[in-house]
Amino acid sequence: VQLQASGGGLVQTGGSLRLSCLASGFTQGYTAIGWFRQAPGKEREGVSSIRNRDRSTKYDESVKGRFTISRDNAKNAVYLQMNSLKPEDTAVYFCAASRLGIISSAMLNPDMYNSWGQGTQVTVSS
């Protein structure tokens, strides 16, 4: 599966962005799609994920109540609606797909994801 992330940009604190992740190629068989981010000098961290078999979602504590993940199977797309953005949300955001069986506690673990798209930059100005 090939993944393409888009929708990043520059916004002010409190603003909103909607990231899109479009999948192409062999899209059958993935178990979850996740959003991850990496800020300069920091490790890649899980932001949110949606599991395919039961549509369960997972959010990092830092984004709960502000970000919402959703999917559109007809378009092979997963979205991340980001509201009330903060400067600390500034990072390159990546989407990734997993073909592994993922338990809830591992949904934000980057090591569980096999296919990665290119990143999209999100910058939140103070």
Side-chain angles (χ1 to χ4, degrees), residues 1-123:
V1 61
Q2 290 78 47
L3 303 170
Q4 183 174 2
S6 62
L10 172 64
V11 295
Q12 293 184 333
T13 296
S16 297
L17 284 172
R18 186 194 193 209
L19 304 184
S20 298
C21 178
L22 299 181
S24 60
F26 185 66
T27 59
Q28 301 300 315
Y30 72 86
T31 56
I33 298 285
W35 283 98
F36 300 82
R37 65 187 180 187
Q38 188 166 19
K42 295 187 176 181
E43 292 186 356
R44 190 168 297 188
E45 62 177 4
V47 176
S48 182
S49 177
I50 185 164
R51 195 163 58 187
N52 199 38
R53 63 177 173 86
D54 57 5
R55 297 191 175 225
S56 64
T57 58
K58 189 85 169 178
Y59 296 92
D60 183 74
E61 287 294 327
S62 66
V63 306
K64 274 186 179 178
R66 301 188 296 123
F67 291 10
T68 303
I69 193 170
S70 63
R71 70 181 191 188
D72 184 335
N73 287 342
K75 297 181 179 179
N76 284 329
V78 173
Y79 306 101
L80 186 68
Q81 178 66 43
M82 305 187 297
N83 299 327
S84 302
L85 283 162
K86 305 175 180 179
E88 50 264 43
D89 295 318
T90 295
V92 178
Y93 284 69
F94 302 86
C95 61
S98 175
R99 295 190 179 278
L100 304 175
I102 298 184
I103 59 175
S104 180
S105 61
M107 288 175 67
L108 298 183
N109 182 351
D111 293 336
M112 299 299 291
Y113 292 78
N114 317 97
S115 300
W116 290 81
Q118 92 293 351
T120 184
Q121 176 71 46
V122 171
T123 303

